[in-house]
Amino acid sequence: MLIVAPWTIYASRLYGGLVVVDTSGAFNLLYGARTAYDGDRNDAATRNFVLALLDRSLSQPQRRALVDAQRAKDGTVARDPSCLLHKQDPRLLAALARPVEQISQAERQQLMTAEGLCLLAARPGAFVAKSLGELVDLFQINYTGAERFAGGFASGRLPRWFLAGLFLLDDTLYVLALPLAVLGWGLARRSNVPTFQRSNVPALAGLWWLYNVAVAPLLFAINRFRLPLLPLAFVFAGYALAQPPRAWRALRSRGGLAYGALAALLALVAVAPYAYFEPRAPGADSTWASYLGPYPSSVVDTLIAWRARPGYLREQQVMRALGRGDAPEARALLASSEVTSHTLGLAAPLLAGLEGRPDQGLALLDATNALSPVEAAVVRGELLRRRGDWPGARQVLGQTLVDNANPVQLAWDWLHPAPLPENRLDLAGNLDLGYVEGCYLGEGDGSIRPAANFRWCGDGARLRFPGAGTGAPQTLALRVDGRGWASYAPAAPSARVVVDGQEVGSFTPDIAGPSEVAVLLPPAPRGADVVVTLRTDTFVPPADRYLSQQGKAVVGQVQRLGVRIDWAELREH
């Protein structure tokens, strides 16, 4: 009560209604109920429900459509409507009829809770089956879970010391401690140690475990939901290891056998050696998470990542050489035996383009199958630009799959792009990949005339003008928009312009709307690249921005927005 009550009072006053514990529990309840109702873990329906109550940019019909039935191209219902909408619940109908600004956070939580309970009542059997499956998932190893705080294991991106730490101090320690904790708990309950005889420590630990094990599957079981179990698990596992052999005789009773059976069952679930016997097509991955077993088990994943490390390090060297336009070094590095098929598939076409052979690069690109569709599109777009086919490059780089992935960093790292026509960079105009770094997904803005496309860029964003140096001072002109700061500050902060580590000027976006600004740049050697870094204060946008990006590769990405740019241009002074 001392810990939670102050938060309850604060949150309830702030959000306009009773918020007992947290501000995400209602969303998690709705997500768990909806996934059980639909029979899959697609979060589109849950996000649509929240967007209908949260997104200020949507009209009333658009908000209503989000919670209505979703239909396939042939007109059949692909996903059922909101349960509350199906029942014509007056609370939801009243909320949809009002502007989003008039819906409090507490009301949103109440509606999410009501929707979740409605879905549970509609299909209780599906929810029970889903929760039982989640209970098993709770104890299994999910090697690539978000709680690893890293991706690209199989690519070799992670250092070997990190891989060893994950395998030994996370997965191996867990599968050893889990059964020992159950046995240690059983020994403590039957112990002659005065500390345990005179206290309810084992019973309280059991209640704590039972609470967490019971609650987690009701929502969705993911790695981090095990964390509350582990501190006490390590204590009792250590207690088990510290006991002399004669103390283990306490488990020879019928109750002791039950502890042993539970420990064996949990060890079996966590290690999951039965994954080897899963029926699957030849060469197919296992669908069961495990410590032992085929890919993606912890053992196999660790070995793959370990072996991939040298190839990844070589790929980074090739990438840096291509990014700075050093064709001879890139060619020498590609002759190494450590070069992977992915590195060769990505680098060989780009190297041909860099050396003035874009047609040969396109032929090499067509001959490889080592790249993802997004990587292939980025390389093709760059080669078309090298060939002078800017309309063709715009078509390739403007594909939905490229927009959704927003491969700004990939393009910045790998490309040394062709000089810009008239040194004008149209951000979010489908041709800016390779010329910008540190900017988020492009977005159209129809609230101004003429309509424009913008990118939000964060602190440290960079703009690149290849071969634009003239040996004389130049002017950097930009069209920037400060309206996004209106909810956070009385004025947009100034953005500082940095060249070669030195601040050369600054500009301040107009909070009233888009405006053109200009900063004088120092001379750059003739033919040199002009790279400009923007340093600015940032803010984290509200939830509707993230929810509106559902289905895209960038969803869930924490964004720190600083300056919103339409275009940038390098002019003669």
Side-chain angles (χ1 to χ4, degrees):
M1 289 298 295
L2 289 175
I3 293 171
V4 176
W7 160 255
T8 300
I9 296 171
Y10 167 79
S12 299
R13 292 180 61 183
L14 179 65
Y15 295 123
L18 181 61
V19 178
V20 179
V21 178
D22 66 2
T23 54
S24 64
F27 181 91
N28 289 336
L29 172 64
L30 172 56
Y31 178 62
R34 186 75 209 203
T35 54
Y37 182 90
D38 290 337
D40 62 48
R41 286 193 174 184
N42 190 317
D43 63 354
T46 303
R47 291 180 175 275
N48 283 346
F49 186 89
V50 179
L51 271 177
L53 305 174
L54 192 68
D55 195 339
R56 302 184 182 189
S57 67
L58 299 177
S59 64
Q60 186 175 348
Q62 289 174 320
R63 292 166 56 204
R64 174 66 179 253
L66 285 176
V67 296
D68 211 340
Q70 305 299 307
R71 298 188 177 275
K73 292 182 179 179
D74 60 2
T76 59
V77 175
R79 194 175 296 276
D80 288 342
S82 154
C83 186
L84 294 180
L85 182 66
H86 178 69
K87 293 189 173 185
Q88 294 293 291
D89 187 284
R91 295 169 296 178
L92 178 62
L93 296 178
L96 293 174
R98 303 200 316 270
V100 168
E101 293 83 353
Q102 297 179 13
I103 304 175
S104 68
Q105 176 63 21
E107 186 178 359
R108 291 189 189 99
Q109 296 222 155
Q110 293 161 9
L111 287 169
M112 284 188 279
T113 300
E115 174 74 6
L117 295 176
C118 181
L119 291 166
L120 294 183
R123 293 185 181 173
F127 184 75
V128 171
K130 188 272 302 184
S131 296
L132 290 175
E134 299 277 6
L135 179 60
V136 175
D137 290 348
L138 178 65
F139 291 100
Q140 287 188 321
I141 299 290
N142 182 4
Y143 189 80
T144 57
E147 288 74 14
R148 303 293 194 180
F149 297 106
F153 289 85
S155 70
R157 191 178 72 85
L158 300 176
R160 283 177 167 175
W161 64 263
F162 188 81
L163 298 172
L166 283 180
F167 181 71
L168 296 175
L169 301 179
D170 194 343
D171 295 346
T172 303
L173 181 61
Y174 168 69
V175 299
L176 291 176
L178 184 61
L180 281 173
V182 176
L183 296 175
W185 184 55
L187 288 170
R189 294 198 66 192
R190 284 163 168 70
S191 173
N192 294 323
V193 176
T195 300
F196 287 134
Q197 283 185 329
R198 294 195 301 265
S199 73
N200 292 319
V201 170
L204 289 173
L207 288 174
W208 175 248
W209 285 335
L210 181 63
Y211 163 75
N212 284 279
V213 170
V215 170
L218 296 180
L219 304 174
F220 46 90
I222 51 181
N223 295 11
R224 67 174 177 268
F225 286 1
R226 287 201 300 262
L227 293 182
L229 308 175
L230 295 182
L232 289 174
F234 290 147
V235 168
F236 284 100
Y239 180 76
L241 292 175
Q243 299 310 298
R246 64 178 181 275
W248 287 79
R249 298 171 186 168
L251 296 181
R252 290 181 179 177
S253 64
R254 185 178 301 175
L257 292 177
Y259 289 118
L262 179 58
L265 177 63
L266 291 179
L268 183 66
V269 170
V271 177
Y274 49 81
Y276 287 114
F277 306 106
E278 177 191 6
R280 63 186 191 281
D285 299 340
S286 174
T287 59
W288 294 341
S290 62
Y291 177 78
L292 295 176
Y295 179 84
S297 72
S298 178
V299 170
V300 174
D301 261 308
T302 302
L303 289 175
I304 291 174
W306 189 277
R307 293 166 182 162
R309 182 63 177 170
Y312 174 82
L313 294 175
R314 181 66 69 191
E315 181 173 278
Q316 294 300 292
Q317 293 175 325
V318 174
M319 178 192 75
R320 287 190 287 269
L322 289 172
R324 62 176 176 264
D326 191 340
E329 182 179 353
R331 179 168 294 281
L333 290 169
L334 286 176
S336 167
S337 60
E338 294 176 338
V339 169
T340 65
S341 59
H342 176 265
T343 304
L344 193 62
L346 194 55
L350 291 174
L351 178 60
L354 197 60
E355 292 178 336
R357 298 176 284 109
D359 290 332
Q360 184 178 346
L362 289 169
L364 290 170
L365 179 62
D366 291 334
T368 184
N369 59 0
L371 305 183
S372 70
V374 172
E375 289 173 329
V378 170
V379 174
R380 187 176 301 279
E382 168 61 7
L383 292 172
L384 291 174
R385 290 189 301 206
R386 286 278 175 186
R387 197 168 67 174
D389 184 4
W390 292 87
R394 183 186 299 276
Q395 183 178 7
V396 170
L397 297 177
Q399 296 177 87
T400 301
L401 66 93
V402 178
D403 282 340
N404 286 352
N406 193 37
V408 167
Q409 194 63 51
L410 169 75
W412 180 272
D413 289 339
W414 280 93
L415 307 185
H416 189 80
L420 284 161
E422 300 179 353
N423 287 328
R424 183 179 176 88
L425 174 56
D426 182 16
L427 275 79
N430 296 332
L431 286 172
D432 63 350
L433 292 177
Y435 301 98
V436 297
E437 182 189 35
C439 298
Y440 300 103
L441 191 69
E443 53 193 35
D445 191 339
S447 65
I448 56 176
R449 291 292 180 269
N453 294 319
F454 290 86
R455 277 196 192 272
W456 274 105
C457 298
D459 182 36
R462 291 193 283 181
L463 310 177
R464 174 161 53 189
F465 299 88
T470 63
Q474 294 168 290
T475 298
L476 174 68
L478 308 99
R479 187 173 188 244
V480 295
D481 179 19
R483 289 173 296 165
W485 280 92
S487 300
Y488 297 88
S494 295
R496 295 175 287 118
V497 179
V498 178
V499 177
D500 293 331
Q502 300 295 320
E503 183 176 337
V504 299
S506 64
F507 62 86
T508 304
D510 189 347
I511 205 167
S515 60
E516 291 189 23
V517 296
V519 175
L520 181 63
L521 304 184
R526 181 172 294 276
D529 293 351
V530 177
V531 180
V532 173
T533 302
L534 304 179
R535 306 310 305 259
T536 177
D537 292 340
T538 60
F539 67 92
V540 176
D544 55 342
R545 178 176 176 86
Y546 303 106
L547 290 171
S548 65
Q549 294 177 349
Q550 58 179 295
K552 299 180 173 67
V554 293
V555 68
Q557 179 187 62
V558 176
Q559 299 182 11
R560 295 173 175 84
L561 310 184
V563 56
R564 194 170 187 244
I565 308 175
D566 179 11
W567 52 258
E569 185 175 297
L570 208 56
R571 300 171 179 171
E572 298 300 323
H573 178 57

